[in-house]
């Protein structure tokens, strides 16, 4: 049972490996370095512990503010509190980029929704054939007869094909 709980908390090894290799490739000759499985496990476990510590600290900050939802500012304050101020700058930059991307996505989605609504409104305002004409006398009867005649012609065509 304890092993199952530990597996749920483990970070995906593929992601940890990718992050380590990406970071190492940024250094001269770092792309050639091999990383043992034990080292990847150590990276993964260290990251998991750091996330637990940071989230617990952010939760304390959130509760002090009498809120139930942790926000980005709580995480930034938690980083300062656990003495990792060097992470604050890069995190703020990432948050700004994230917010800009989301704002662009939201505005694009709103534009698509407005276009869709505009098209629906245009379709409703443009009268379909027979809508305006239906108010005249006797025109409804003529349209119905055309449909009946068309159906009859289809039936005759069908009989010709069978014979």
């Amino acid at each position: 049972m304890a092993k199952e709980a530990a597996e749920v908390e483990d970070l995906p090894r593929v992601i940890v490996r990718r992050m380590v290799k990406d970071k190492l490739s940024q250094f001269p000759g770092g792309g050639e370095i091999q990383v043992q499985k034990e080292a990847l496990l150590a990276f993964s476990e260290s990251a998991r512990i750091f996330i637990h510590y940071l989230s617990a600290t952010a939760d304390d900050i959130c509760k002090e503010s009498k809120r139930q939802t942790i926000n980005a500012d709580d995480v930034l304050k938690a980083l300062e509190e656990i003495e990792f101020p060097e992470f604050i700058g890069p995190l703020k930059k990432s948050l700004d980029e994230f917010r800009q991307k989301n704002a662009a996505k939201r505005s694009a989605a709103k534009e698509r929704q407005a276009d869709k609504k505009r098209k629906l409104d245009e379709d409703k305002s443009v009268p379909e054939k027979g809508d305006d004409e239906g108010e005249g006398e006797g025109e409804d009867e003529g349209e119905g007869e055309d449909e009946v005649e068309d159906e009859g012609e289809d039936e005759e065509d069908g009989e010709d094909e069978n014979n």
Side-chain angles (χ1 to χ4, degrees), residues 3-158:
K3 185 177 180 180
E4 289 177 19
E7 288 178 9
V8 171
E9 292 183 355
D10 285 347
L11 295 173
R13 290 182 187 138
V14 173
I15 293 173
V16 173
R17 178 182 294 119
R18 187 179 309 138
M19 289 174 65
V20 170
K21 294 246 181 193
D22 286 348
K23 193 61 180 177
L24 289 175
S25 69
Q26 293 175 4
F27 300 114
E32 300 168 8
I33 295 178
Q34 298 296 316
V35 182
Q36 291 182 342
K37 286 183 180 182
E38 287 179 358
L40 287 173
L41 179 63
F43 278 119
S44 179
E45 188 64 15
S46 298
R48 187 185 67 77
I49 291 168
F50 178 76
I51 291 169
H52 280 248
Y53 186 45
L54 182 62
S55 60
T57 306
D59 184 51
D60 290 344
I61 291 169
C62 181
K63 286 180 181 175
E64 286 173 8
S65 300
K66 297 181 180 171
R67 291 180 286 111
Q68 293 182 348
T69 304
I70 298 172
N71 60 36
D73 290 333
D74 296 330
V75 176
L76 293 169
K77 288 176 188 172
L79 283 169
E80 182 125 8
E81 193 169 306
I82 63 173
E83 299 180 9
F84 282 95
E86 65 273 11
F87 289 3
I88 294 172
L91 179 56
K92 281 184 178 180
K93 182 180 175 187
S94 293
L95 283 171
D96 288 341
E97 290 172 5
F98 174 77
R99 289 173 178 154
Q100 288 174 355
K101 283 181 184 178
N102 274 353
K105 284 181 184 179
R106 272 185 259 150
S107 66
K110 284 181 181 180
E111 284 181 35
R112 284 193 303 271
Q113 191 174 17
D115 287 345
K116 198 174 193 180
K117 185 178 180 184
R118 196 175 314 116
K119 287 179 183 178
L120 286 173
D121 290 344
E122 287 174 2
D123 289 346
K124 289 179 182 178
S125 67
V126 173
E128 291 185 21
K129 186 176 180 180
D131 281 354
D132 289 338
E133 298 172 2
E135 294 175 13
E137 294 180 18
E139 291 183 18
D140 287 339
E141 295 173 13
E143 288 177 16
E145 290 175 8
D146 289 343
E147 291 174 13
V148 172
E149 288 177 21
D150 290 343
E151 290 175 11
E153 290 175 21
D154 289 342
E155 290 175 10
E156 290 174 9
D157 290 341

